Amino acid sequence: MQHSHHEERPILLLEVLQKLYAGILMQRLAPHWPPLNCQLGAVSGGQPIEALFAAQHMVALATVTNKDLLFVKLDIKGAFDNLRHASVAAFLARMPESACYEAMRLLTLLLDQKIQFSFLNTHWDIHSTNGTPQGGSHSAGLFARTLDHAIGTWTTDWEAAGHIPLYPPLWMLLFVDDILLCFNGWRQAAELLPTLGECLSELGLEINFAKSCLVIRDARHLSSSPAQPHNLELLRRFPWVHHTQYLRKSFGYHLDVDALHQQAIQSIFAAWGKLKPVLQKAH
């Protein structure tokens, strides 16, 4: 096993044959996946720049229209490790009959996952009962689509109840397990955010409040609002900030525009530096 420098969860060193097998299954299932709702990561063509551009565009529109919007950045505790296998099974059960064999093989691979440990002369196995362990060629894509499908069901219920997204049809930006929600005010946030928590709980996931935050322009707008009939207790569990980091880039209100431009330029030069040897050889 090896550990990521940014996360405490382990990244498994899986057999190449297993990764190849899972990759083939994912490719054969690709034409049958249901349409995405808001997932931009771990899918074909998904890039962080798309989510970053959309996020900055939302803040820019809020600023020029002088709206007091609430952005909620959600971090999920050990997301890949805690996703319930029953949730994955329910998602794969939606595959058409022509894809049943591949879906069943992929689920069997997930259910039979064993993690082998060794320390000095001691060896032991642990049967994985939850999660899509990182390191597999199927892990990120299967997690991303399962989460997107579940969230899409809940946002459909929000709209059926009369709620309208501020930027139709998007209620949020979802990049694998990084979630950025946008609400038109504290009332909508106080009413809908608990139901999203219920959605995550059904999947076996939990919000990490220490790494999540509520991004607002002016805290006085919220603190002066009456707590009834809506409950603000859940919102108060989040740190309230003017700006934060989303996908490792600055996001929020009261930001230095020049600093944002400098970050963009640095990212472009870094990407160009990695691609330069390849492009030179390709003339």
Side-chain angles (χ1 to χ4, degrees):
M1 295 173 60
Q2 70 181 27
H3 291 266
S4 166
H5 295 295
H6 302 289
E7 299 288 346
E8 296 179 356
R9 69 177 74 102
I11 297 177
L12 305 185
L13 301 180
L14 303 177
E15 298 89 344
V16 173
L17 184 60
Q18 182 183 135
K19 297 176 73 172
L20 178 62
Y21 178 56
I24 293 173
L25 291 176
M26 291 291 288
Q27 286 185 1
R28 296 183 66 172
L29 284 171
H32 307 288
W33 295 127
L36 294 169
N37 297 283
C38 52
Q39 182 62 261
L40 296 173
V43 296
S44 179
Q47 297 292 332
I49 189 65
E50 297 172 349
L52 291 169
F53 177 81
Q56 298 294 346
H57 187 61
M58 288 177 176
V59 174
L61 287 177
T63 302
V64 298
T65 56
N66 199 30
K67 292 182 178 179
D68 288 312
L69 306 184
L70 279 73
F71 293 94
V72 183
K73 187 185 79 167
L74 293 185
D75 181 85
I76 302 176
K77 292 183 180 178
F80 280 73
D81 294 337
N82 296 325
L83 183 68
R84 285 179 179 156
H85 287 165
S87 302
V88 180
F91 170 67
L92 291 176
R94 299 185 61 85
M95 296 294 102
E97 185 176 352
S98 58
C100 283
Y101 179 82
E102 289 82 1
M104 187 61 192
R105 293 300 95 198
L106 191 61
L107 182 62
T108 302
L109 183 65
L110 192 66
L111 295 177
D112 290 340
Q113 187 75 65
K114 288 185 178 180
I115 305 176
Q116 298 178 341
F117 293 87
S118 62
F119 181 74
L120 297 179
N121 295 323
T122 305
H123 305 274
W124 68 97
D125 296 341
I126 294 180
H127 186 265
S128 178
T129 58
N130 285 312
T132 56
Q134 292 189 82
S137 54
H138 62 300
S139 302
L142 193 56
F143 175 91
R145 289 186 176 275
T146 301
L147 179 60
D148 176 82
H149 176 71
I151 288 180
T153 301
W154 281 80
T155 54
T156 299
D157 292 341
W158 291 355
E159 294 177 17
H163 297 284
I164 300 175
L166 196 61
Y167 300 107
L170 286 179
W171 279 99
M172 68 191 75
L173 298 175
L174 179 60
F175 197 89
V176 190
D177 60 341
D178 288 305
I179 304 176
L180 182 67
L181 298 105
C182 179
F183 297 114
N184 61 17
W186 67 272
R187 289 179 178 272
Q188 189 180 67
E191 185 168 347
L192 298 183
L193 195 56
T195 66
L196 181 61
E198 294 174 15
C199 170
L200 295 176
S201 179
E202 289 182 0
L203 297 175
L205 305 177
E206 183 182 354
I207 298 173
N208 185 351
F209 287 95
K211 294 184 178 181
S212 303
C213 62
L214 182 66
V215 183
I216 53 178
R217 190 207 307 263
D218 189 354
R220 292 174 300 177
H221 174 69
L222 279 172
S223 59
S224 62
S225 301
Q228 298 297 331
H230 299 278
N231 186 6
L232 287 176
E233 290 306 313
L234 180 62
L235 296 182
R236 296 189 188 281
R237 295 185 63 182
F238 292 94
W240 292 9
V241 300
H242 293 308
H243 49 80
T244 183
Q245 292 276 313
Y246 175 63
L247 298 179
R248 301 184 181 180
K249 295 294 182 290
S250 298
F251 167 82
Y253 299 102
H254 311 306
L255 289 174
D256 184 352
V257 176
D258 292 335
L260 286 176
H261 291 166
Q262 190 63 32
Q263 284 186 358
I265 293 172
Q266 290 174 354
S267 298
I268 292 170
F269 272 97
W272 167 251
K274 294 178 181 179
L275 288 174
K276 188 176 179 181
V278 179
L279 295 176
Q280 284 180 335
K281 292 181 180 179
H283 305 290

